[in-house]
């Protein structure tokens, strides 16, 4: 593929390859926006400015200063260190058998707890709770409207909806009522530290375990990271013994 010359600045060619290299440094989601003509021209101007300032810097012999030499030493150290780390960790792999074994040995960690989706009405007294329940059961008002009318909880703006929750997320008395209630049946008033609740469960989900296929990629990435950490620590210990370290 032809490497088209886009400009010449200070005697140096600026090519399509140079431009694409700049674009590739941006996050993936931003690259598309850099492909229109106006944005590309802006980037080309940046490359032109870079070449001009580079030429000027050499003309005033900045590359012969001590500051330049020290900066290049630091850059060189960073590049070599990064390349060494990539070389050490680049060959770390995990087999399908290792991934499968980890899943089987840690099956419980991939579990999803039982949950319920419920709504509630929170009032100060048991009498208020019973009054609201009677109105709902008689058909005078819906549960959601009753929540907006009577409930002290901010969830009243969502018809009393608390969304989906698992055990341990609510106070014990409320949790017990929610997990034992029948779907679609309003509970008797439930007393908690906040007041009296009427609870209406909309759905229940039994506890389950994610399948191997659902978590395979996550397990693979986790094991690779773990093996890379082990390999890195191992290499550091070997290098410390080889080159020596004196901590003060």
């Amino acid at each position: 593929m032809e490497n088209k010359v886009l400009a010449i600045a200070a005697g140096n060619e600026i090519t399509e390859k140079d431009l694409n290299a700049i674009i590739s440094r941006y996050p993936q989601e931003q690259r598309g926006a850099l492909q229109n003509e106006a944005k590309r021209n802006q980037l080309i101007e940046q490359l032109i400015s870079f070449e001009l300032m580079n030429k000027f810097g050499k003309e005033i012999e900045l590359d012969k200063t001590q500051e330049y030499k020290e900066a290049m030493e630091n850059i060189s150290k960073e590049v070599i260190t990064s390349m060494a780390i990539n070389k050490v960790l680049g060959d770390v792999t995990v087999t399908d058998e290792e991934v499968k074994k980890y899943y089987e040995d840690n099956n419980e960690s991939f579990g999803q707890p039982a949950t319920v989706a419920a709504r509630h009405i929170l009032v100060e007294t048991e009498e208020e709770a019973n009054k609201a329940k009677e109105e709902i059961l008689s058909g005078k008002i819906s549960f959601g409207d009753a929540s907006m009318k009577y409930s002290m909880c901010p969830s009243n703006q969502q018809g009393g909806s608390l969304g989906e929750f698992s055990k341990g997320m609510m106070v014990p008395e409320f949790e017990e009522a929610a997990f034992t209630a029948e779907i679609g049946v309003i509970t008797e008033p439930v007393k908690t530290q906040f007041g009296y609740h009427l609870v209406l469960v909309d759905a229940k989900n039994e506890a389950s375990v994610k399948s191997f296929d659902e978590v395979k990629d996550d397990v693979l990435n986790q094991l690779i990271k773990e093996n890379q950490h082990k390999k890195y620590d191992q290499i550091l210990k070997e290098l410390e013994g080889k080159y020596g370290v004196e901590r003060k």
Side-chain angles (χ1 to χ4, degrees):
M1 185 175 179
E2 182 184 1
N3 188 22
K4 182 180 178 181
V5 176
L6 305 175
I8 299 176
N12 293 317
E13 293 183 345
I14 296 171
T15 66
E16 192 78 34
K17 184 178 179 181
D18 297 325
L19 179 60
N20 290 334
I22 291 292
I23 293 174
S24 69
R25 296 175 190 171
Y26 284 82
Q28 184 69 43
E29 62 272 14
Q30 295 181 20
R31 294 177 193 172
L34 297 173
Q35 294 298 335
N36 68 63
E37 185 176 356
K39 290 293 185 182
R40 284 170 61 87
N41 286 338
Q42 286 181 11
L43 293 176
I44 292 171
E45 290 302 318
Q46 289 180 21
L47 288 169
I48 290 173
S49 300
F50 178 85
E51 291 294 345
L52 294 175
M53 292 304 296
N54 180 261
K55 182 72 172 181
F56 173 68
K58 289 180 178 178
E59 181 181 319
I60 61 176
E61 298 187 336
L62 291 179
D63 54 335
K64 296 181 181 179
T65 63
Q66 185 62 29
E67 182 182 1
Y68 170 81
K69 294 175 182 177
E70 291 175 357
M72 290 304 296
E73 287 178 4
N74 290 332
I75 293 172
S76 176
K77 182 182 289 187
E78 290 176 8
V79 171
I80 290 175
T81 300
S82 178
M83 291 176 66
I85 291 172
N86 289 336
K87 185 173 181 62
V88 167
L89 302 183
D91 60 352
V92 173
T93 59
V94 176
T95 66
D96 289 341
E97 290 75 17
E98 288 174 313
V99 176
K100 184 71 173 178
K101 185 176 186 304
Y102 183 90
Y103 172 78
E104 293 172 349
D105 291 345
N106 299 274
N107 196 264
E108 69 285 349
S109 66
F110 301 106
Q112 294 180 300
T115 61
V116 297
R119 292 176 279 163
H120 82 139
I121 296 171
L122 174 63
V123 292
E124 290 185 349
T125 68
E126 187 173 6
E127 291 73 24
E128 289 177 289
N130 284 323
K131 178 185 177 183
K133 183 176 180 179
E134 288 174 9
E135 289 188 15
I136 297 168
L137 293 179
S138 67
K140 291 181 179 180
I141 194 170
S142 70
F143 191 95
D145 288 341
S147 177
M148 293 187 69
K149 181 178 179 181
Y150 295 113
S151 184
M152 303 183 297
C153 179
S155 65
N156 58 16
Q157 296 303 306
Q158 289 78 46
S161 176
L162 297 171
E164 190 174 296
F165 54 89
S166 58
K167 289 184 177 180
M169 296 176 67
M170 301 293 178
V171 293
E173 303 90 344
F174 185 93
E175 180 180 285
E176 175 68 18
F179 276 89
T180 57
E182 293 183 38
I183 295 175
V185 178
I186 302 173
T187 66
E188 294 299 318
V190 179
K191 184 180 180 181
T192 72
Q193 66 199 67
F194 303 107
Y196 288 83
H197 306 255
L198 294 177
V199 184
L200 178 62
V201 173
D202 294 319
K204 291 187 176 184
N205 297 300
E206 297 297 325
S208 62
V209 176
K210 289 184 178 180
S211 70
F212 176 67
D213 287 338
E214 288 179 288
V215 300
K216 181 179 179 180
D217 290 341
D218 291 336
V219 174
L220 175 63
N221 292 331
Q222 179 180 331
L223 289 180
I224 288 176
K225 288 179 180 178
E226 289 179 1
N227 288 352
Q228 286 178 333
H229 283 303
K230 290 177 183 177
K231 180 71 175 292
Y232 187 71
D233 290 341
Q234 175 191 340
I235 291 293
L236 283 182
K237 288 180 180 178
E238 293 176 2
L239 295 177
E240 184 171 331
K242 182 177 181 179
Y243 301 129
V245 174
E246 184 178 355
R247 295 179 174 87
K248 297 182 179 181

